[in-house]
Amino acid sequence: AVVSTQSTGSRFTQPPTLDPPTSDTLVRLTTPYCARVVKGDGIVSLRFSTSNSRVYREIGEQQLDYDESFEEALSLLINSYPKWTPVQSLPNMDPEDGLGLVEELTEAQILESKEK
């Protein structure tokens, strides 16, 4: 849930405090089409636009770069929307990498999470 606070006539939202993900955490994209995977020379880039304001393209597309080994997990997360995916089922990921990936993508507001 997003908390809205009104003070001195201005309104702002504060994202909820998130618990660190566990292997049982379920994740999915925050919105369809908010991210895409682009393959390059030995890297996989996740391009996203979750930080944009209401002004069209006020903020340019953002990008996170990963090793090629993350491609299958990133593609699964993007292609499985709106289904929830358990962190432990991310392909080609050891538990630490999977948790780190989910935490980073959640902080970037690309993924939302919930507990089983």
Side-chain angles (χ1 to χ4, degrees), residues 9-25:
S10 65
R11 228 179 140 170
F12 66 91
T13 58
Q14 176 182 357
T17 304
L18 301 173
D19 294 328
T22 66
S23 61
D24 291 329
T25 300

Side-chain angles (χ1 to χ4, degrees), residues 21-91:
T22 66
S23 61
D24 291 329
T25 300
L26 300 173
V27 294
R28 71 175 182 187
L29 291 180
T30 54
T31 60
Y33 313 114
C34 71
R36 61 192 174 102
V37 175
V38 178
K39 293 181 356 179
D41 298 322
I43 62 166
V44 175
S45 297
L46 184 69
R47 296 189 181 167
F48 61 99
S49 57
T50 57
S51 297
N52 278 337
S53 69
R54 292 181 184 245
V55 177
Y56 181 70
R57 302 230 180 191
E58 180 180 34
I59 300 172
E61 190 173 60
Q62 297 91 44
Q63 177 174 316
L64 294 170
D65 295 323
Y66 297 98
D67 184 71
E68 284 181 324
S69 63
F70 285 72
E71 179 184 0
E72 198 172 336
L74 292 169
S75 294
L76 173 71
L77 291 169
I78 290 171
N79 294 324
S80 63
Y81 183 87
K83 295 178 183 173
W84 293 92
T85 303
V87 173
Q88 64 193 5
S89 71
L90 293 176

Side-chain angles (χ1 to χ4, degrees), residues 6-11:
Q6 193 163 357
S7 72
T8 65
S10 65
R11 228 179 140 170

